[in-house]
PDB file of all heavy atoms in Angstrom:
ATOM      1  N   GLN D 116     -19.786 -20.461 -11.802  1.00 98.00           N
ATOM      2  CA  GLN D 116     -21.231 -20.591 -12.061  1.00 98.00           C
ATOM      3  C   GLN D 116     -21.909 -19.389 -11.567  1.00 98.00           C
ATOM      4  O   GLN D 116     -21.761 -19.067 -10.371  1.00 98.00           O
ATOM      5  CB  GLN D 116     -21.775 -21.873 -11.596  1.00 98.00           C
ATOM      6  CG  GLN D 116     -21.435 -23.117 -12.347  1.00 98.00           C
ATOM      7  CD  GLN D 116     -22.183 -24.276 -11.780  1.00 98.00           C
ATOM      8  OE1 GLN D 116     -23.363 -24.162 -11.342  1.00 98.00           O
ATOM      9  NE2 GLN D 116     -21.469 -25.366 -11.651  1.00 98.00           N
ATOM     10  N   GLU D 117     -22.867 -18.826 -12.378  1.00 98.00           N
ATOM     11  CA  GLU D 117     -23.840 -17.801 -11.888  1.00 98.00           C
ATOM     12  C   GLU D 117     -25.011 -18.575 -11.558  1.00 98.00           C
ATOM     13  O   GLU D 117     -25.648 -19.291 -12.371  1.00 98.00           O
ATOM     14  CB  GLU D 117     -24.096 -16.674 -12.876  1.00 98.00           C
ATOM     15  CG  GLU D 117     -22.738 -16.073 -13.198  1.00 98.00           C
ATOM     16  CD  GLU D 117     -22.872 -14.989 -14.262  1.00 98.00           C
ATOM     17  OE1 GLU D 117     -23.892 -14.825 -14.819  1.00 98.00           O
ATOM     18  OE2 GLU D 117     -21.737 -14.289 -14.640  1.00 98.00           O
ATOM     19  N   VAL D 118     -25.512 -18.410 -10.406  1.00 98.00           N
ATOM     20  CA  VAL D 118     -26.440 -19.370  -9.694  1.00 98.00           C
ATOM     21  C   VAL D 118     -27.783 -18.611  -9.278  1.00 98.00           C
ATOM     22  O   VAL D 118     -27.757 -17.568  -8.719  1.00 98.00           O
ATOM     23  CB  VAL D 118     -25.875 -20.345  -8.564  1.00 98.00           C
ATOM     24  CG1 VAL D 118     -24.869 -21.203  -9.334  1.00 98.00           C
ATOM     25  CG2 VAL D 118     -25.324 -19.490  -7.519  1.00 98.00           C
ATOM     26  N   SER D 119     -28.953 -19.447  -9.403  1.00 97.00           N
ATOM     27  CA  SER D 119     -30.227 -19.035  -8.563  1.00 97.00           C
ATOM     28  C   SER D 119     -30.948 -20.370  -8.441  1.00 97.00           C
ATOM     29  O   SER D 119     -30.665 -21.270  -9.165  1.00 97.00           O
ATOM     30  CB  SER D 119     -30.967 -18.049  -9.346  1.00 97.00           C
ATOM     31  OG  SER D 119     -31.407 -18.628 -10.636  1.00 97.00           O
ATOM     32  N   GLY D 120     -31.734 -20.493  -7.334  1.00 97.00           N
ATOM     33  CA  GLY D 120     -32.408 -21.708  -7.067  1.00 97.00           C
ATOM     34  C   GLY D 120     -31.561 -22.861  -6.654  1.00 97.00           C
ATOM     35  O   GLY D 120     -30.281 -22.453  -6.149  1.00 97.00           O
ATOM     36  N   LYS D 121     -31.920 -24.042  -6.719  1.00 98.00           N
ATOM     37  CA  LYS D 121     -31.080 -25.097  -6.150  1.00 98.00           C
ATOM     38  C   LYS D 121     -29.922 -25.340  -7.248  1.00 98.00           C
ATOM     39  O   LYS D 121     -30.266 -25.618  -8.431  1.00 98.00           O
ATOM     40  CB  LYS D 121     -31.920 -26.427  -5.941  1.00 98.00           C
ATOM     41  CG  LYS D 121     -31.115 -27.521  -5.334  1.00 98.00           C
ATOM     42  CD  LYS D 121     -31.908 -28.782  -5.171  1.00 98.00           C
ATOM     43  CE  LYS D 121     -32.952 -28.685  -4.104  1.00 98.00           C
ATOM     44  NZ  LYS D 121     -33.676 -30.087  -3.991  1.00 98.00           N
ATOM     45  N   PHE D 122     -28.792 -25.132  -6.886  1.00 98.00           N
ATOM     46  CA  PHE D 122     -27.720 -25.230  -7.935  1.00 98.00           C
ATOM     47  C   PHE D 122     -26.787 -26.297  -7.675  1.00 98.00           C
ATOM     48  O   PHE D 122     -25.907 -26.627  -8.610  1.00 98.00           O
ATOM     49  CB  PHE D 122     -27.014 -23.855  -8.029  1.00 98.00           C
ATOM     50  CG  PHE D 122     -26.293 -23.443  -6.821  1.00 98.00           C
ATOM     51  CD1 PHE D 122     -24.951 -23.743  -6.538  1.00 98.00           C
ATOM     52  CD2 PHE D 122     -26.921 -22.592  -5.909  1.00 98.00           C
ATOM     53  CE1 PHE D 122     -24.271 -23.376  -5.420  1.00 98.00           C
ATOM     54  CE2 PHE D 122     -26.269 -22.117  -4.767  1.00 98.00           C
ATOM     55  CZ  PHE D 122     -24.929 -22.532  -4.580  1.00 98.00           C
ATOM     56  N   PHE D 123     -26.753 -26.990  -6.563  1.00 98.00           N
ATOM     57  CA  PHE D 123     -25.906 -28.148  -6.330  1.00 98.00           C
ATOM     58  C   PHE D 123     -26.537 -29.163  -5.463  1.00 98.00           C
ATOM     59  O   PHE D 123     -27.306 -28.801  -4.445  1.00 98.00           O
ATOM     60  CB  PHE D 123     -24.548 -27.742  -5.666  1.00 98.00           C
ATOM     61  CG  PHE D 123     -23.712 -28.960  -5.410  1.00 98.00           C
ATOM     62  CD1 PHE D 123     -22.888 -29.415  -6.485  1.00 98.00           C
ATOM     63  CD2 PHE D 123     -23.797 -29.571  -4.202  1.00 98.00           C
ATOM     64  CE1 PHE D 123     -22.058 -30.527  -6.174  1.00 98.00           C
ATOM     65  CE2 PHE D 123     -22.907 -30.700  -3.941  1.00 98.00           C
ATOM     66  CZ  PHE D 123     -22.160 -31.252  -4.914  1.00 98.00           C
ATOM     67  N   GLU D 124     -26.451 -30.418  -5.857  1.00 97.00           N
ATOM     68  CA  GLU D 124     -27.086 -31.440  -5.020  1.00 97.00           C
ATOM     69  C   GLU D 124     -26.312 -32.736  -5.058  1.00 97.00           C
ATOM     70  O   GLU D 124     -26.024 -33.171  -6.262  1.00 97.00           O
ATOM     71  CB  GLU D 124     -28.610 -31.693  -5.415  1.00 97.00           C
ATOM     72  CG  GLU D 124     -29.226 -32.705  -4.515  1.00 97.00           C
ATOM     73  CD  GLU D 124     -30.824 -32.621  -4.552  1.00 97.00           C
ATOM     74  OE1 GLU D 124     -31.283 -32.158  -5.735  1.00 97.00           O
ATOM     75  OE2 GLU D 124     -31.464 -33.099  -3.575  1.00 97.00           O
ATOM     76  N   ASN D 125     -26.044 -33.370  -3.976  1.00 95.00           N
ATOM     77  CA  ASN D 125     -25.606 -34.723  -3.968  1.00 95.00           C
ATOM     78  C   ASN D 125     -26.325 -35.530  -2.990  1.00 95.00           C
ATOM     79  O   ASN D 125     -27.323 -35.032  -2.467  1.00 95.00           O
ATOM     80  CB  ASN D 125     -24.049 -34.792  -3.810  1.00 95.00           C
ATOM     81  CG  ASN D 125     -23.561 -34.321  -2.445  1.00 95.00           C
ATOM     82  OD1 ASN D 125     -24.384 -34.215  -1.509  1.00 95.00           O
ATOM     83  ND2 ASN D 125     -22.319 -34.066  -2.267  1.00 95.00           N
ATOM     84  N   LYS D 126     -25.924 -36.697  -2.609  1.00 91.00           N
ATOM     85  CA  LYS D 126     -26.763 -37.573  -1.770  1.00 91.00           C
ATOM     86  C   LYS D 126     -26.738 -36.928  -0.421  1.00 91.00           C
ATOM     87  O   LYS D 126     -27.716 -37.208   0.385  1.00 91.00           O
ATOM     88  CB  LYS D 126     -26.188 -38.966  -1.816  1.00 91.00           C
ATOM     89  CG  LYS D 126     -24.857 -39.199  -1.200  1.00 91.00           C
ATOM     90  CD  LYS D 126     -24.521 -40.789  -1.272  1.00 91.00           C
ATOM     91  CE  LYS D 126     -23.129 -40.976  -0.700  1.00 91.00           C
ATOM     92  NZ  LYS D 126     -22.627 -40.383   0.482  1.00 91.00           N
ATOM     93  N   ASP D 127     -25.894 -36.137  -0.052  1.00 94.00           N
ATOM     94  CA  ASP D 127     -25.701 -35.723   1.412  1.00 94.00           C
ATOM     95  C   ASP D 127     -26.298 -34.332   1.531  1.00 94.00           C
ATOM     96  O   ASP D 127     -26.889 -34.020   2.731  1.00 94.00           O
ATOM     97  CB  ASP D 127     -24.233 -35.569   1.811  1.00 94.00           C
ATOM     98  CG  ASP D 127     -23.632 -37.008   1.764  1.00 94.00           C
ATOM     99  OD1 ASP D 127     -24.273 -37.889   2.167  1.00 94.00           O
ATOM    100  OD2 ASP D 127     -22.456 -37.020   1.604  1.00 94.00           O
ATOM    101  N   PHE D 128     -26.102 -33.435   0.557  1.00 97.00           N
ATOM    102  CA  PHE D 128     -26.636 -32.021   0.886  1.00 97.00           C
ATOM    103  C   PHE D 128     -26.917 -31.384  -0.443  1.00 97.00           C
ATOM    104  O   PHE D 128     -26.552 -31.826  -1.451  1.00 97.00           O
ATOM    105  CB  PHE D 128     -25.512 -31.273   1.663  1.00 97.00           C
ATOM    106  CG  PHE D 128     -24.245 -30.940   0.842  1.00 97.00           C
ATOM    107  CD1 PHE D 128     -24.132 -29.695   0.148  1.00 97.00           C
ATOM    108  CD2 PHE D 128     -23.168 -31.780   0.726  1.00 97.00           C
ATOM    109  CE1 PHE D 128     -23.021 -29.459  -0.640  1.00 97.00           C
ATOM    110  CE2 PHE D 128     -21.988 -31.544  -0.049  1.00 97.00           C
ATOM    111  CZ  PHE D 128     -22.008 -30.308  -0.630  1.00 97.00           C
ATOM    112  N   CYS D 129     -27.465 -30.189  -0.316  1.00 98.00           N
ATOM    113  CA  CYS D 129     -27.826 -29.322  -1.513  1.00 98.00           C
ATOM    114  C   CYS D 129     -27.495 -27.846  -1.108  1.00 98.00           C
ATOM    115  O   CYS D 129     -27.501 -27.544   0.067  1.00 98.00           O
ATOM    116  CB  CYS D 129     -29.112 -29.650  -2.100  1.00 98.00           C
ATOM    117  SG  CYS D 129     -30.519 -29.027  -1.033  1.00 98.00           S
ATOM    118  N   LEU D 130     -27.250 -27.039  -2.136  1.00 98.00           N
ATOM    119  CA  LEU D 130     -27.048 -25.715  -1.977  1.00 98.00           C
ATOM    120  C   LEU D 130     -28.056 -24.897  -2.843  1.00 98.00           C
ATOM    121  O   LEU D 130     -28.335 -25.226  -3.989  1.00 98.00           O
ATOM    122  CB  LEU D 130     -25.598 -25.218  -2.525  1.00 98.00           C
ATOM    123  CG  LEU D 130     -24.417 -25.957  -1.862  1.00 98.00           C
ATOM    124  CD1 LEU D 130     -23.107 -25.737  -2.502  1.00 98.00           C
ATOM    125  CD2 LEU D 130     -24.346 -25.221  -0.468  1.00 98.00           C
ATOM    126  N   GLU D 131     -28.557 -23.926  -2.279  1.00 98.00           N
ATOM    127  CA  GLU D 131     -29.704 -23.046  -2.919  1.00 98.00           C
ATOM    128  C   GLU D 131     -29.258 -21.612  -2.769  1.00 98.00           C
ATOM    129  O   GLU D 131     -28.636 -21.166  -1.867  1.00 98.00           O
ATOM    130  CB  GLU D 131     -30.967 -23.258  -2.112  1.00 98.00           C
ATOM    131  CG  GLU D 131     -31.514 -24.656  -2.264  1.00 98.00           C
ATOM    132  CD  GLU D 131     -32.883 -24.873  -1.642  1.00 98.00           C
ATOM    133  OE1 GLU D 131     -33.825 -24.150  -2.110  1.00 98.00           O
ATOM    134  OE2 GLU D 131     -32.882 -25.547  -0.665  1.00 98.00           O
ATOM    135  N   ALA D 132     -29.730 -20.851  -3.886  1.00 98.00           N
ATOM    136  CA  ALA D 132     -29.412 -19.461  -3.863  1.00 98.00           C
ATOM    137  C   ALA D 132     -30.737 -18.777  -4.104  1.00 98.00           C
ATOM    138  O   ALA D 132     -31.707 -19.170  -4.784  1.00 98.00           O
ATOM    139  CB  ALA D 132     -28.541 -19.085  -5.013  1.00 98.00           C
ATOM    140  N   LYS D 133     -30.854 -17.444  -3.558  1.00 97.00           N
ATOM    141  CA  LYS D 133     -32.050 -16.629  -3.706  1.00 97.00           C
ATOM    142  C   LYS D 133     -31.503 -15.211  -3.863  1.00 97.00           C
ATOM    143  O   LYS D 133     -30.829 -14.774  -3.080  1.00 97.00           O
ATOM    144  CB  LYS D 133     -32.987 -16.783  -2.415  1.00 97.00           C
ATOM    145  CG  LYS D 133     -34.068 -15.666  -2.372  1.00 97.00           C
ATOM    146  CD  LYS D 133     -35.305 -16.276  -3.076  1.00 97.00           C
ATOM    147  CE  LYS D 133     -36.449 -15.319  -2.890  1.00 97.00           C
ATOM    148  NZ  LYS D 133     -36.386 -14.082  -3.738  1.00 97.00           N
ATOM    149  N   SER D 134     -31.906 -14.576  -4.977  1.00 96.00           N
ATOM    150  CA  SER D 134     -31.538 -13.251  -5.245  1.00 96.00           C
ATOM    151  C   SER D 134     -32.231 -12.356  -4.203  1.00 96.00           C
ATOM    152  O   SER D 134     -33.481 -12.308  -3.990  1.00 96.00           O
ATOM    153  CB  SER D 134     -32.056 -12.816  -6.693  1.00 96.00           C
ATOM    154  OG  SER D 134     -31.835 -11.461  -6.911  1.00 96.00           O
ATOM    155  N   ILE D 135     -31.465 -11.478  -3.588  1.00 94.00           N
ATOM    156  CA  ILE D 135     -32.023 -10.516  -2.526  1.00 94.00           C
ATOM    157  C   ILE D 135     -31.613  -9.052  -3.007  1.00 94.00           C
ATOM    158  O   ILE D 135     -30.854  -8.938  -3.905  1.00 94.00           O
ATOM    159  CB  ILE D 135     -31.542 -10.813  -1.051  1.00 94.00           C
ATOM    160  CG1 ILE D 135     -29.972 -10.962  -1.045  1.00 94.00           C
ATOM    161  CG2 ILE D 135     -32.217 -11.998  -0.696  1.00 94.00           C
ATOM    162  CD1 ILE D 135     -29.529 -11.225   0.403  1.00 94.00           C
ATOM    163  N   SER D 136     -32.016  -8.093  -2.278  1.00 88.00           N
ATOM    164  CA  SER D 136     -32.049  -6.745  -2.795  1.00 88.00           C
ATOM    165  C   SER D 136     -30.882  -5.915  -2.042  1.00 88.00           C
ATOM    166  O   SER D 136     -30.959  -5.714  -0.910  1.00 88.00           O
ATOM    167  CB  SER D 136     -33.308  -6.004  -2.494  1.00 88.00           C
ATOM    168  OG  SER D 136     -33.250  -4.708  -2.796  1.00 88.00           O
TER     169      SER D 136
END
Side-chain angles (χ1 to χ4, degrees):
Chain D
Q116 281 180 46
E117 298 177 358
V118 295
S119 66
K121 188 186 285 184
F122 61 90
F123 178 83
E124 183 164 23
N125 66 14
K126 67 179 177 47
D127 294 326
F128 71 92
C129 66
L130 295 167
E131 292 178 68
K133 169 89 177 75
S134 176
I135 52 178
S136 176

